[in-house]
Amino acid sequence: MRAAAGALLHDIARALPPPFDEHSSPSLAGGDAGYALFKGYWVLSGILSQEQCRRHQSSMMDYLQSALDKLPRIAHRPDFISGIAGVAWTVNHLNRLGSVRDCEDLCDPLDEVLIERLDRSDSMLCELLTGLSGIGLYALGRRNRPSGRKILERVLGALEASAVEHNGFRTWFNQREKLSAISRQSTPNGCYNLGLSHGVPGAIAFLAQAASAGMPLAQKLVGDAAAWLLAQRRQYRNGSMFTYSFLADPTEDMAGTRLAWCYGDLGISAALLLSAQCLRATAWEASALEMARNAARRSEEGSGVRDAGLCHGAFGNAHIFRRLYGATREQCFVEAAVRWMRAGFAMRREGVGLAGFRAWAPAQSNEPERDPWLAEPGFLEGICGIGLVLLGMTSPVEPRWDEALMLNVRPKEA
């Protein structure tokens, strides 16, 4: 697999859109910021020649500049995965890695935009990808600067103001009026969302990190939210412990969730383990590992996995299990990581999609019928994210990029 990964990395790099492509978005999820992140980690990996490093470093800078040039396109989106916060996080993250130098001030005007949007908007949900927790995650990396602290304070204040009580705990409810048009079709009355991507688990992981960084309000909120989340566990038909979302009770749909980062036990277990590490919460750690071990026992056939990407695909699962193995040294996790790596490679088809991969993205109800298999270059669902997983598996550089997905659990000390 190491040899296959090395060859695939070069195929992925060749398949990415070129910098300054007018058809590419600037976003972290599926655009220039994500491509820059991949190139930055490849340069640091130690597996390229000096000439290749120079070439890909130059390409990384071009992708970053392209993302910044296109920011007016997403000026209306403050969020993390497709908006300003994600581009700013990428710049700041690469700066912290030493891949980009002397650019801390570059994020200051972006911080002011985010502060202004937070001051005049009460429509954001608690979530990671398009809500308050994602913006807060970016601000955690800027907390030593005045603008970063301001963003953190506003995010925490908005989370406190929007929290509701449910069964004796404070948590967050996704009100119908704050949902996208697509989400309103599946949850017309709003919902409690249990996905790491769009729900309460992402808020818990952000709050735990903020509490660990010395934010008292985060400490006040996170305990109740984690207790609430753990109270929603059930036993579902497919072997999972969590549903996707619910209105009154988690047993409204007993089918259970697929095995993935975005929704379900695997992503939740990693985020809860991260939270436990931040706050030294041994009970949370025990619950997280129980979920993770259960996830490791699930087979590919009953997992609901169709494609290979980070969000809900085979390589995403491999990366999470690899992180769990690093944190515990438990054999079941390394075995699951290898199994899902093999499953990811088996999905590759020569001459198909990009670098042999396509992403499963069926048409939404408001879209015309189309082929559900798409050629996707991006970080969250496409080949760029696959490339970052491969680098994490084959190079000695810690894959700290996964803090963007709340997966940056600390490895167990030797």
Side-chain angles (χ1 to χ4, degrees), residues 14-296:
R14 284 191 289 268
L16 292 178
F20 306 108
D21 184 338
E22 278 303 303
H23 298 290
S24 293
S25 82
S27 74
L28 173 60
D32 293 326
Y35 310 149
L37 191 64
F38 166 65
K39 288 297 186 88
Y41 272 87
W42 205 14
V43 169
L44 291 175
S45 68
I47 59 179
L48 295 173
S49 69
Q50 286 188 348
E51 174 56 34
Q52 288 171 326
C53 281
R54 283 193 292 270
R55 181 156 46 88
H56 290 294
Q57 176 75 17
S58 175
S59 176
M60 179 200 73
M61 295 301 297
D62 286 344
Y63 279 125
L64 275 184
Q65 186 61 57
S66 180
L68 293 170
D69 289 348
K70 295 172 186 172
L71 278 177
R73 298 185 187 178
I74 56 173
H76 62 293
R77 296 202 62 160
D79 63 89
F80 186 75
I81 204 63
S82 297
I84 294 170
V87 175
W89 175 87
T90 305
V91 172
N92 194 56
H93 184 76
L94 290 172
N95 180 70
R96 285 157 51 198
L97 288 178
S99 299
V100 183
R101 299 189 183 280
D102 304 322
C103 67
E104 284 191 339
D105 294 342
L106 189 62
C107 291
D108 286 343
L110 303 181
D111 290 353
E112 294 305 317
V113 172
L114 292 173
I115 291 167
E116 189 267 338
R117 289 301 300 266
L118 288 165
D119 281 345
R120 65 183 177 87
S121 174
D122 62 354
S123 62
M124 274 186 268
L125 298 170
C126 73
E127 64 167 84
L128 169 61
L129 291 192
T130 64
L132 293 164
S133 296
I135 297 173
L137 174 63
Y138 159 65
L140 278 172
R142 301 267 296 168
R143 63 185 179 274
N144 293 328
R145 297 179 74 88
S147 57
R149 296 287 291 192
K150 286 182 182 178
I151 296 172
L152 271 177
E153 290 165 1
R154 282 159 174 76
V155 166
L156 290 169
L159 284 171
E160 182 182 40
S162 58
V164 300
E165 186 173 321
H166 181 252
N167 292 341
F169 301 107
R170 294 186 80 190
T171 186
W172 290 272
F173 182 80
N174 290 0
Q175 298 99 328
R176 182 186 187 281
E177 59 271 19
K178 293 185 180 182
L179 295 173
S180 66
I182 293 172
S183 296
R184 281 199 296 271
Q185 292 175 4
S186 57
T187 55
N189 298 310
C191 66
Y192 292 100
N193 192 298
L194 299 179
L196 177 52
S197 55
H198 292 294
V200 174
I204 291 169
F206 159 65
L207 288 168
Q209 292 176 89
S212 180
M215 306 297 288
L217 184 51
Q219 182 76 57
K220 177 182 173 183
L221 291 169
V222 70
D224 247 25
W228 177 86
L229 176 67
L230 290 171
Q232 309 317 311
R233 286 176 293 183
R234 302 292 189 273
Q235 289 297 324
Y236 292 92
R237 287 195 296 269
N238 66 356
S240 63
M241 296 183 179
F242 285 95
T243 187
Y244 290 92
S245 63
F246 66 93
L247 182 60
D249 188 88
T251 58
E252 290 163 5
D253 179 1
M254 290 303 297
T257 47
R258 61 189 171 191
L259 195 68
W261 167 80
C262 53
Y263 282 91
D265 302 6
L266 185 55
I268 292 172
S269 67
L272 189 61
L273 180 58
L274 169 64
S275 303
Q277 289 180 336
C278 288
L279 300 177
R280 299 183 180 180
T282 55
W284 298 359
E285 179 176 347
S287 294
L289 293 178
E290 178 191 2
M291 284 180 242
R293 293 180 192 115
N294 184 66

